[in-house]
């Protein structure tokens, strides 16, 4: 075979030697290049910032600090979230950097966020146990947050060991917990496959040997134990990755933040360490519902509030089974969010902040506090017309809500609207071509719907007295016609009004969405009369009577909140027009305010009315 006919892929000893030489030269050049920036990268790694989200300390006890983070939205959800962090390591892993901050994701969604920073125990704290952390520290922090937010119950979000403590707390004080969020929480330990469960088995390990020796468990002892779970990755592989990506400043900075968290350990009080290993790991007392705290049974059958389990698919520290198997032991409605990441990745990986944490923020919105008016109207639409209506408060801004309407044949309408009563109703009415009215019912909130082909009324129940009050206040903002009597409808006198009320048509809103034949039969009137009454009721309902437009309710006036507005309406001041040019003394008496405040309100109403006229 001649040189000309030899295949180009043929490898000669000379070619191989040249290839090796080229690879060696490339490697040397790469090493030289990286060596020139190594010092710079090491300097930058030593100066990285963590935990930058603005916050204030609002309560302290012993070494503990209760942090309250500054809001990032114009309005916040009524029910705050208290994050109960683990007793091991420092909590800035939940606020590592702006684009990888659990705290910031919750704030951006419109939540009010608190966090317990346990501090670091001294030798004097060696005897602190479950009772101290649950019944003293967590309970005191919960009460502080409840008092500051004026809520009877708040949301808890427990991370790792903090999730276990939060679960114990919810079992002891269910009346103070609105929802329970658990993130990689160890709750069940019986053949879950976890390395720590094996190492902590009572056959091989007695935690009292450690606590009797040290008093408090050294952070270095814990760090070595965790690192030994995957020694190749922790002592070698990660540094190879750092070297390979030394030129990537973002990677180096993130690596430095993680290393700072891993190395910045916290000692653990000896007694709580021993109790956790003995009672939770070795005896599985929490899952078996046999755990006692200070002589009181931590009865997990009390955990009937909504529960969220956040687990990592590849978590080798707290395997999925150690979390989700606990779900079968409690009566709560449990939602599980499993994401393809590890234990620490739940809080700091880029993808979880893109994909998972918006879902978590939405879950807390949906399961705590009063339902939005969009939810109430949506349920009415579903019952009366059979459409599927879903809402998402995490879409758009903090003051927006996404409404999705679908029928059996597919999507009908989707849009993001301001979380304002009138905007929500208008969106639904325009999307479906119907009229929607909302009013209070003895059994809940009544939703009246009338379309071209069908009409109906349903009552949304089982929403609790506090929630009903919130919805009632929203109704006052959306339906000024709710305070208008049937007799205000042209052509309806006391006799007709009495007959209509006996038939269950007790308000203008109900009249506006009832079919003519039903009204005619109830009032013993003609269908032509019924149609005229419906037209009149429609007009009154749409503009809130002659008392001002729905777009300018009493709450528009600075200083007039829902309570004052309700008092004014009960006294006959149904809208801006009624208040304008009114006797200030009468306004003051009706609302229970000073004449000075009433004068200010009347002047504002005058200005608004003049603006409307123009």
């Amino acid at each position: 075979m001649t040189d000309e006919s030899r295949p180009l892929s043929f490898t000669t000893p000379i070619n191989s030697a040249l290839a090796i030489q080229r690879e060696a030269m490339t490697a040397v050049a790469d090493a030289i290049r990286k060596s020139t920036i190594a010092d710079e990268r090491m300097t930058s790694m030593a100066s990285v910032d963590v935990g930058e989200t603005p916050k204030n300390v609002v309560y302290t006890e012993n070494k503990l600090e209760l942090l309250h983070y500054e809001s990032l939205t114009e309005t916040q959800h009524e029910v705050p979230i208290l994050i109960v962090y683990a007793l091991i390591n420092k909590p800035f892993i939940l606020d590592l950097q702006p684009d990888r901050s659990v705290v910031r994701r919750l704030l951006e969604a419109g939540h009010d966020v608190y966090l317990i920073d346990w501090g670091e125990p001294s030798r004097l704290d060696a005897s602190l146990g479950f009772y101290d952390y649950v019944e003293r520290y967590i309970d005191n922090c919960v009460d502080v947050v409840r008092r500051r937010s004026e809520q009877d119950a708040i949301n808890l979000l427990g991370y790792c060991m903090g999730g276990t403590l939060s679960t114990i707390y919810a079992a002891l004080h269910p009346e103070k917990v609105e929802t329970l969020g658990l993130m990689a929480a160890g709750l069940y330990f019986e053949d879950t496959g976890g390395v720590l469960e094996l190492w902590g088995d009572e056959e091989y390990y007695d935690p009292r040997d450690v606590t009797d020796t040290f008093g408090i468990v050294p952070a270095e002892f814990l760090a070595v134990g965790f690192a030994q779970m995957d020694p190749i990755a922790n002592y070698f592989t990660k540094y190879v990755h750092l070297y390979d990506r030394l030129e990537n400043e973002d990677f180096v900075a993130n690596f430095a933040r993680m290393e700072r968290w891993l190395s910045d350990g916290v000692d653990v009080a000896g007694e709580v360490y021993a109790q956790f290993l003995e009672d939770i790991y070795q005896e599985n007392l929490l899952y078996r519902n046999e755990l006692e705290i200070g002589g009181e049974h931590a009865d997990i059958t009390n955990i009937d509030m909504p529960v969220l389990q956040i687990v990592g698919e590849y978590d080798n520290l707290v395997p999925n089974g150690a979390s989700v198997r606990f779900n079968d032991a409690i009566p709560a409605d449990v939602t599980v969010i499993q994401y393809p990441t590890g234990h620490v990745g739940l809080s700091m990986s880029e993808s979880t902040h893109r994909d998972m944490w918006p879902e978590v923020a939405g879950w807390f919105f949906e399961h705590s506090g009063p339902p939005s008016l969009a939810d109430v109207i949506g349920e009415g639409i579903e019952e009366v017309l059979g459409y599927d209506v879903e809402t998402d408060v995490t879409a758009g801004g903090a003051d927006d809500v996404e409404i999705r309407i679908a029928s059996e044949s597919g999507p009908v309408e989707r849009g993001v609207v301001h979380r304002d009563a009138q905007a929500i109703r208008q969106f639904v009415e325009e999307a479906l071509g119907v009229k929607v009215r909302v009013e209070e019912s003895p059994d809940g909130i009544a939703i009246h719907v009338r379309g071209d082909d069908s009409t109906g009324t349903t009552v949304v129940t089982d929403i609790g007295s506090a929630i009903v009050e919130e919805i009632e206040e929203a109704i006052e903002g959306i339906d000024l016609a709710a305070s208008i009597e049937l007799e205000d409808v042209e052509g309806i006198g006391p006799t007709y009004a009495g007959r209509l009320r006996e038939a269950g048509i007790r308000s203008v809103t109900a009249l506006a969405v009832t079919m003519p034949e039903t009204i005619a039969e109830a009032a013993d009137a003609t269908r032509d009369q019924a149609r005229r009454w419906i037209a009149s009721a429609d007009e009154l309902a749409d503009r809130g009577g002659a008392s001002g437009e729905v777009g300018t309710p009493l709450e528009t006036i600075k200083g007039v909140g829902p309570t004052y507005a309700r008092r004014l309406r009960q006294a006959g001041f149904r809208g801006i027009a009624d208040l304008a040019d009114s006797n200030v003394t009468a306004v003051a008496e009706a609302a229970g305010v000073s004449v000075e405040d009433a004068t200010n309100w009347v002047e504002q109403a005058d200005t608004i009315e003049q603006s409307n006229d123009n």
Side-chain angles (χ1 to χ4, degrees), residues 422-444:
Q422 178 67 1
I424 292 168
R425 186 173 70 170
Q426 182 178 349
F427 175 83
V428 173
E429 289 182 337
E430 291 179 354
L432 299 178
V434 298
K435 285 286 186 180
V436 179
R437 296 291 178 264
V438 187
E439 67 174 321
E440 181 186 359
S441 162
D443 299 318

Side-chain angles (χ1 to χ4, degrees), residues 93-146:
I93 188 65
L94 301 181
D95 187 27
L96 195 65
Q97 58 194 58
D99 62 339
R100 302 190 187 197
S101 168
V102 171
V103 169
R104 190 171 283 267
R105 295 297 85 74
L106 296 174
L107 290 171
E108 289 170 345
H111 286 290
D112 189 15
V113 181
Y114 292 79
L115 182 145
I116 297 176
D117 183 345
W118 298 106
E120 185 161 4
S122 68
R123 292 187 178 276
L124 297 176
D125 300 313
S127 62
L128 296 178
F130 272 148
Y131 179 85
D132 300 286
Y133 282 96
V134 175
E135 289 289 63
R136 285 177 52 201
Y137 295 150
I138 293 180
D139 192 40
N140 288 343
C141 288
V142 167
D143 285 343
V144 170
V145 177
R146 290 169 62 225

Side-chain angles (χ1 to χ4, degrees), residues 373 377 421-422 425 429 436-440 446 448 471-484 507-510 512-513 537-538 540-545 550 553 569 574:
L373 193 60
I377 292 177
Q422 178 67 1
R425 186 173 70 170
E429 289 182 337
V436 179
R437 296 291 178 264
V438 187
E439 67 174 321
E440 181 186 359
H448 305 279
I471 295 296
E472 287 172 1
E473 292 174 357
I475 289 170
E476 291 176 357
I478 190 173
D479 251 331
L480 299 180
S483 60
I484 302 173
S507 68
V508 171
T509 53
V513 296
D538 258 335
L540 288 171
D542 283 339
R543 65 183 176 88
V550 171
R569 291 191 183 102
R574 296 180 180 125

Side-chain angles (χ1 to χ4, degrees), residues 350-363:
E350 183 179 5
S351 60
T352 59
H353 286 277
R354 181 189 65 236
D355 303 329
M356 188 188 79
W357 281 105
E359 184 179 356
V360 173
W363 184 90

